[in-house]
Amino acid sequence: MQLPMPTINETGEFPAPTDRAMTGIFITDLDGTLLRSDRTVAEPVLSGLRRLGELGIARVIATGRSLFSFNTVAAAGLPVDFVIFSTGAGVADYLHGKILRSVSMENGDVRRAFAALHALELDFMVQRPIPDSHVFGYVASNSSNPDFESRIARYSRFAFPWDGDIERFGRATQLVAIVPPDRAQEALASVRRKLVSLSVIQTTSPLDGQSTWIEIFPAGVSKSSTAQWLASKLGASRHKTLSVGNDFNDLDLLEWARTRFVVANAPPELTRRFPVVASNDDGGVAEAIAIWLGQMG
C-alpha cells in the first residue's frame, strides 16, 4: 500500500540575505540557546550575529515554536535572515515577513498518528496547517497532566476539544503528545515502533522543563532536512555550517552541521556527545560564533 505523501508548499521567489555569495550558514536553536532565561538576547550575541551578516553568512533560527509563537518572543529588528519553525515544517524569510516553505500531513498520516497515540492513552494535540499551526484540537486521555493542561491554558483562544473527526479536521502540521517524566521513555519508544514511517521527534517541554513532548511530522521533516533545503536554495555548502543547540530536537541538526556546539545547560546526553560552550545565560552562542570564525581564519 502506498502511503500518503505530505503536502509541500513553496514560494517561487527565494530571497538571498545579501548580494554576495553565501560564505556559510549559522543556525541556532531559540529557547534555551539563543534566548536567555528572561527571553532576551545578550548584546555579545547580537554583535556576533551582526558580524556574521557583514561576512555574508546566512543567520538562521531553528525552533520548535510555531511562527505565531516565535513572533511572541522575537525582538524587533533581530539580526537574522531566516526562521525554521515548527521543528522544520516551515521556513520564513524573517527580513521580509514571508513564509517560504511549509509541509503538512495528509489525512492518512493524521489518522495513523491519532490511532497510535489514542491506543497508548496519551494526551495530545493536533495542530492545523501553517500558518495556523498555533491552533489545535486536543484529546485528553488522562485525568491529570499539568504540562498538557498548561499548554491548553496558554493557548486557550486557539485550543478546542477534538472528537477525532479527521475528515472534518483535514490536513495538519503535526501531532504533539505531552508525556509526564515517569512515562516518557516508554511512550517515546512505543510511538516510534508504531509510526516508523513518520518523523517522531523528542523535545523537553519548554513549559515545565521536565515533561517530554513527542512531536509527529510527515516522513523527512526535521530541523536538519530543512536546513539542507535552505542551504541548497542559498547555494551554500554544508561544510561551511555552524549549529548551536540545547535539546533533543536539535540532535539531527547538530549531527548535520560541520561545526556544532551545545550550550552548557543542555542535557548530559548531549554535552557528552558534542563540544560545549557557555550556557544560554552566559553568552554561549557568542562564544560558538567566535570559535567558528576563528577556525575559518
Side-chain angles (χ1 to χ4, degrees):
M1 181 179 68
Q2 186 174 9
L3 295 174
M5 297 297 291
T7 296
I8 301 176
N9 296 313
E10 297 183 17
T11 60
E13 200 171 313
F14 194 90
T18 72
D19 292 331
R20 293 170 288 175
M22 292 293 95
T23 57
I25 299 181
F26 164 77
I27 309 176
T28 178
D29 173 58
L30 183 65
D31 294 280
T33 305
L34 183 70
L35 294 182
R36 293 182 287 194
S37 298
D38 63 0
R39 293 187 175 178
T40 62
V41 182
E43 183 54 42
V45 174
L46 293 172
S47 297
L49 292 173
R50 295 187 191 103
R51 178 59 179 155
L52 292 176
E54 292 167 359
L55 295 172
I57 295 172
R59 302 155 297 180
V60 184
I61 292 175
T63 178
R65 288 177 179 263
S66 67
L67 193 56
F68 174 90
S69 179
F70 170 80
N71 286 330
T72 66
V73 297
L78 196 62
V80 298
D81 303 297
F82 301 99
V83 179
I84 295 172
F85 59 93
S86 295
T87 317
V91 182
D93 173 1
Y94 179 78
L95 297 177
H96 301 95
K98 295 180 179 179
I99 294 175
L100 303 175
R101 187 175 193 257
S102 63
V103 182
S104 58
M105 300 173 70
E106 295 294 343
N107 286 15
D109 280 344
V110 177
R111 184 175 294 106
R112 291 171 54 241
F114 172 89
L117 299 180
H118 197 263
L120 292 169
E121 298 183 343
L122 299 180
D123 302 313
F124 62 94
M125 291 94 170
V126 56
Q127 300 183 207
R128 293 209 180 276
I130 294 167
D132 299 319
S133 52
H134 57 288
V135 179
F136 59 84
Y138 61 87
V139 177
S141 300
N142 299 279
S143 59
S144 177
N145 187 339
D147 199 56
F148 177 74
E149 295 154 13
S150 177
R151 188 172 191 238
I152 293 171
R154 180 167 295 209
Y155 286 90
S156 58
R157 289 186 298 151
F158 309 109
F160 55 92
W162 188 43
D163 60 5
D165 188 339
I166 294 165
E167 293 302 323
R168 187 156 56 92
F169 190 92
R171 293 179 294 111
T173 295
Q174 66 184 111
L175 285 82
V176 183
I178 298 182
V179 188
D182 59 337
R183 286 196 64 192
Q185 291 309 308
E186 174 193 357
L188 180 64
S190 296
V191 171
R192 284 179 168 159
R193 281 197 302 268
K194 289 175 176 287
L195 301 174
V196 292
S197 63
L198 298 179
S199 180
V200 179
I201 297 173
Q202 174 188 5
T203 304
T204 303
S205 168
L207 301 183
D208 71 5
Q210 298 179 358
S211 300
T212 291
W213 291 15
I214 302 174
E215 301 183 272
I216 303 169
F217 296 93
V221 170
S222 65
K223 288 186 178 183
S224 63
S225 63
T226 306
Q228 180 60 54
W229 175 86
L230 184 58
S232 66
K233 288 290 186 180
L234 294 172
S237 169
R238 173 182 171 185
H239 297 292
K240 295 182 179 179
T241 53
L242 165 65
S243 67
V244 189
N246 83 310
D247 199 24
F248 298 106
N249 66 339
D250 301 314
L251 180 57
D252 62 286
L253 181 62
L254 293 165
E255 293 173 337
W256 173 83
R258 178 65 176 269
T259 306
R260 53 276 185 99
F261 295 97
V262 294
V263 286
N265 49 291
E269 295 95 321
L270 298 183
T271 58
R272 287 193 293 264
R273 286 189 59 181
F274 301 102
V276 180
V277 290
S279 74
N280 63 314
D281 286 326
D282 295 317
V285 169
E287 182 183 345
I289 291 171
I291 294 171
W292 187 47
L293 293 181
Q295 292 173 347
M296 292 173 67

